[in-house]
Amino acid sequence: MNALGFLTDELNKIREAGGYFRLRELESACEPVSRVDGKEVINLASNNYLGLANHPKLREAAIEAIRKYGAGSGAVRTISGTLDMHMELERRIAAFKHVEACVVFQSGFTANAGTVSAVLGKDDHIISDELNHASIIDGCRLSRAKIHVFAHGNVEAAEEKLAALSAEPGRKLLITDGVFSMDGDIGPLPGLCAIAEKYGAIMMVDDAHSSGVLGRNGRGTVDHFGLHGRVDIQVGTLSKAVGVLGGYVCGTRDFIEYLYHRARPFLFSTSHPPAVTAACLAAFDLLESEPERIETLWANTRYFKAALTAAGFDTGRSETPITPIMVGEAAAAHAFSRALFEEGLFATGIGFPTVPQGKARIRAIVTATHTREHLDRAVETLTRVAKKLAILS
Ligand SMILES: *Cc1c(COP(=O)(O)O)cnc(C)c1O
C-alpha cells in the first residue's frame, strides 16, 4: 500500500490545470546566455540583476575562503558556527544601510519567516499587503498573530485596517514588499510609513528584489524614497542582485540582539559556509565601487520595456527590471514559455496559484549583463512566438 497515493491524484489535478512542470537544468554558470537542458538560451529567468553570481571577484573570494576556512561552518551561529567573517558581513551591511545593526540569515525566506514569528505573538496584529511574498505570509502564520490583509498597494485600505484596530490591545506590524516579485511594482512606502507612525505600528519592508537594484548603490527602497530612520525592520536578500545566497535583517542594535536570541532559523539551522559569506562581502565591494552596473541595469530595463510595448505586449504595472508579459490563462503562459525556450529564450511562465487566476504571465528579468543584441533578439523571439500562438494579433 502506498500511503502517499493521494498525492498522485493531486499531481494529476495539477497536470489537468496545465500547471505541471519539469525542472530545467542549468548546465553552465548563470550568465546572460546560459546553457540549459542542452541548449544555449538567452536567460531572462534569473534574479542575477547585476551579473554578480559568476563575477570573477566573487568567485576568487569564495575560493580564498574555502582555502582558509574549508567548505562548511560546522555549527549553528549560536553554538560554534559564527565565523569572524559572518560578523564582518553583518557590520558591513549595517554600515551600507545606515542602521545600527544587521543579522544575516541562511536565506531571505528564513529572514522573513524567522523575524516576523520572533517579534510578534498571538495577541498581536499584522497588517499585510495581499501580494506580500510567501515567506512573509508563513512568518505571519508562525507568529500566530491575527492577520489583516489589505488590497495591494492601497495605503487607504491599510489605514482603515489600522484605524479599526486602534482600540485593540496588542502590537501592530505593518508589512510590505519593497518591490513585488510577480508584478515588479514598488510598494507605497512613504504613505505606509506615515500611517505606521500615526497609529504607532511597527513598520517592516522586505527589499528582496530592491537590494542592489533601487536606491543609491542598491541600498533599497528606504533609500530610494529617502525614508531613513522611519522603517523599523528592513529585510534584504543576498540571493538576488547580490548574486549569492542569504537574507539579512537591519534595525536597532537591541532588535538585532533579540533576533540572535529568539529567531528560530538563526538558532536551529547551520550558518552559511565560508564561501557564501566571502562572496557576499566581495559583492558589497562591487556595489560600492561600481555603481555603474546598476545604471546599466536600469538602461537595459527601459530599453527592453519600450521595445515590448512597441511590439504590442502588456507589461502590467511594472516599475522595475521585473517585466511581466501578460498572457491570461496558466496553460497558455506555460505553453508560451516552452515555445520560447525551443526558440532559444528562457523566460518563466507563471500561473495560478503564484498569481491570481486569469493573470498568468511570462516573467522576464533583465540584467545589467545583457547586451542590446541579446535584448533585441529576445523581443524579436517573443513577438514571433506570440504571433504564432495567437497571444499577439
Ligand atoms: C525571493 C524573495 C524572498 C526570498 O529570498 P531568498 O533569499 O531567495 O530566500 C523573500 N521575499 C521576497 C519578496 C522575494 O522576492
Side-chain angles (χ1 to χ4, degrees), residues 107-109 112 133 135 177 179 181 206 208-209 237-240 246-247:
S107 68
F109 196 106
N112 275 324
H133 192 259
S135 55
D177 280 10
V179 168
S181 51
D206 173 8
H209 278 285
T237 184
L238 305 168
S239 321
K240 288 171 175 150

Side-chain angles (χ1 to χ4, degrees), residues 111-171:
N112 275 324
T115 299
V116 176
S117 58
V119 172
L120 297 186
K122 66 175 173 33
D123 299 324
D124 300 327
H125 298 272
I126 299 169
I127 299 90
S128 177
D129 188 289
E130 65 177 325
L131 296 188
N132 277 345
H133 192 259
S135 55
I136 294 177
I137 297 169
D138 286 10
C140 294
R141 290 178 182 159
L142 282 169
S143 76
R144 295 177 296 142
K146 291 167 209 71
I147 302 165
H148 310 268
V149 174
F150 63 90
H152 173 57
N154 189 328
V155 177
E156 292 78 47
E159 178 161 15
E160 271 173 36
K161 302 277 181 198
L162 278 168
L165 291 167
S166 58
E168 295 279 325
R171 297 188 178 81

Side-chain angles (χ1 to χ4, degrees), residues 80 93 98 123 157 180 224 232 251 290 320 325 370 380-381 386:
S80 65
I93 297 172
H98 305 306
D123 299 324
F180 287 85
H224 172 75
D232 303 291
E290 297 181 13
T320 65
I325 299 168
H370 287 101
E380 185 278 318
T381 308

